[in-house]
Every structure is written in structure tokens, then in C-alpha cells.
Amino acid sequence: LGRAAECRRLRLLLKLAIRNVRRQTRRSLLTALATVLGNAVMVFSETLGDGAHEDWIEQGVRLGRGHIAIQHPGFQASRHLDDRLTPAALERARAALADPSVARQVVAVAPRLEVQGLASSATNAIPVFITGVDPDVEARFSHLSEWVVRGRYLEAGDRLDAFIGQRLAERLDLE
């Protein structure tokens, strides 16, 4: 008996709703249109936000250390050159990355040596973060070579050359 009464009640509510939609056609169409447009804007905004977030992560990975950094356990705390990977540890890391179960997921490997230092010129001295790279490998991994404003990007034979940002060059009054 309760279920039959519930069905009658639902039919009555549906009948009243349809009657109300017919009587207020313009209002119903405007409400439906606003709902559809609101949902479309929401989906567009979410998609745009997700894409921007993915780009942000990709740029951070390319400009930073990548998705994974293999480093000496004490390096983060000390940031000292003595706490770099030993040649044996470096070989173990390369072997681990070459393992078939891992290698298929590796897109690029870029060895780097990162330290803090001081960039100085005749006019100024500024603390900087220095990253030593293999220019050929780094060019495949990051987009830094595409951002050259003046001069050129690093090449394989460069031992004492540096690639610096435009703001640092301006602050140090370098050309």
C-alpha cells in the first residue's frame, strides 16, 4: 500500500512539473539555457586549468631537476660539493636506470652538478645557484637553448664558459 501511494505521488508531482514547464515556457528555456551554459563554462574552466597545471609541471620538470633526482643522501642538508655521488654510486644509478623494467619509463637522463656560489663582476656580486651540465644531453632534456637572447648556448668543448640569465647579466652589468 505504501509503495502504490508513493507511485501516485510521484506521478502527480511529474504531472505538475510538466504543466509548470508548459505554462512558463520562456522561464523554463532560460533556466535550461543558463544551466547548459554554466556547465559548459565550468567544463571549459576545468579543462583550461588542468592544461595550465600540466604545463606548469612540465616546465618545472624541464627547468628543475626533473621528476626524479638521484643524489647523495647528505647533499640536500649540506649542499656541499663533498656530498656528491661517488663514481661507484653514479654507476649503480646508471645501471638501475638501464634496467629493462625501469628503462621503458625513462624519457631522458641529464647528469648535473648543483652548488651555490657567488657570481661577481667589476660592479656587483650576487649569490647564485650554479648547475654544471653536459651541454649535449641538457639540450635534449631542457629548453634552455631556445631562450638565448644574446650570445650562444653551451657547446661540448666549453669548459669554463657559462650560460646565465638576462636578469643576472643586467644585475652584474655584463654584456
Side-chain angles (χ1 to χ4, degrees):
L1 182 71
R3 186 160 188 207
E6 190 67 31
C7 285
R8 281 194 304 271
R9 184 170 170 236
L10 275 174
R11 273 192 234 122
L12 177 63
L13 286 175
L14 185 60
K15 185 177 178 181
L16 288 172
I18 291 171
R19 186 183 302 161
N20 193 25
V21 168
R22 283 189 195 147
R23 285 183 182 166
Q24 302 291 333
T25 308
R26 184 171 145 199
R27 183 186 68 188
S28 299
L29 287 174
L30 285 174
T31 301
L33 181 64
T35 302
V36 167
L37 284 175
N39 282 326
V41 168
M42 182 186 70
V43 167
F44 178 75
S45 297
E46 285 289 320
T47 304
L48 188 64
D50 285 349
H53 186 249
E54 290 294 322
D55 272 353
W56 180 70
I57 290 172
E58 180 68 23
Q59 290 304 316
V61 166
R62 287 190 174 277
L63 289 175
R65 293 180 182 94
H67 285 289
I68 297 173
I70 300 173
Q71 53 191 294
H72 186 277
F75 181 75
Q76 282 298 318
S78 72
R79 307 295 290 175
H80 197 269
L81 216 62
D82 290 338
D83 289 329
R84 64 184 182 275
L85 288 179
T86 64
L90 190 56
E91 281 308 311
R92 286 194 306 274
R94 285 188 177 132
L97 292 172
D99 183 270
S101 63
V102 176
R104 59 188 158 92
Q105 298 175 32
V106 176
V107 175
V109 176
R112 295 176 175 167
L113 180 62
E114 299 175 339
V115 294
Q116 294 175 351
L118 187 68
S120 62
S121 68
T123 60
N124 206 353
I126 300 169
V128 293
F129 190 73
I130 302 166
T131 304
V133 299
D134 178 336
D136 293 333
V137 174
E138 194 68 24
R140 290 190 309 255
F141 178 73
S142 73
H143 294 290
L144 289 177
S145 61
E146 299 169 10
W147 295 357
V148 175
V149 175
R150 289 177 63 186
R152 64 172 175 78
Y153 187 67
L154 300 172
E155 294 174 356
D158 295 338
R159 284 196 29 85
L160 299 176
D161 291 356
F163 180 73
I164 64 171
Q166 185 175 358
R167 283 184 37 215
L168 179 60
E170 289 168 1
R171 289 180 67 192
L172 292 174
D173 196 24
L174 298 175
E175 290 189 24

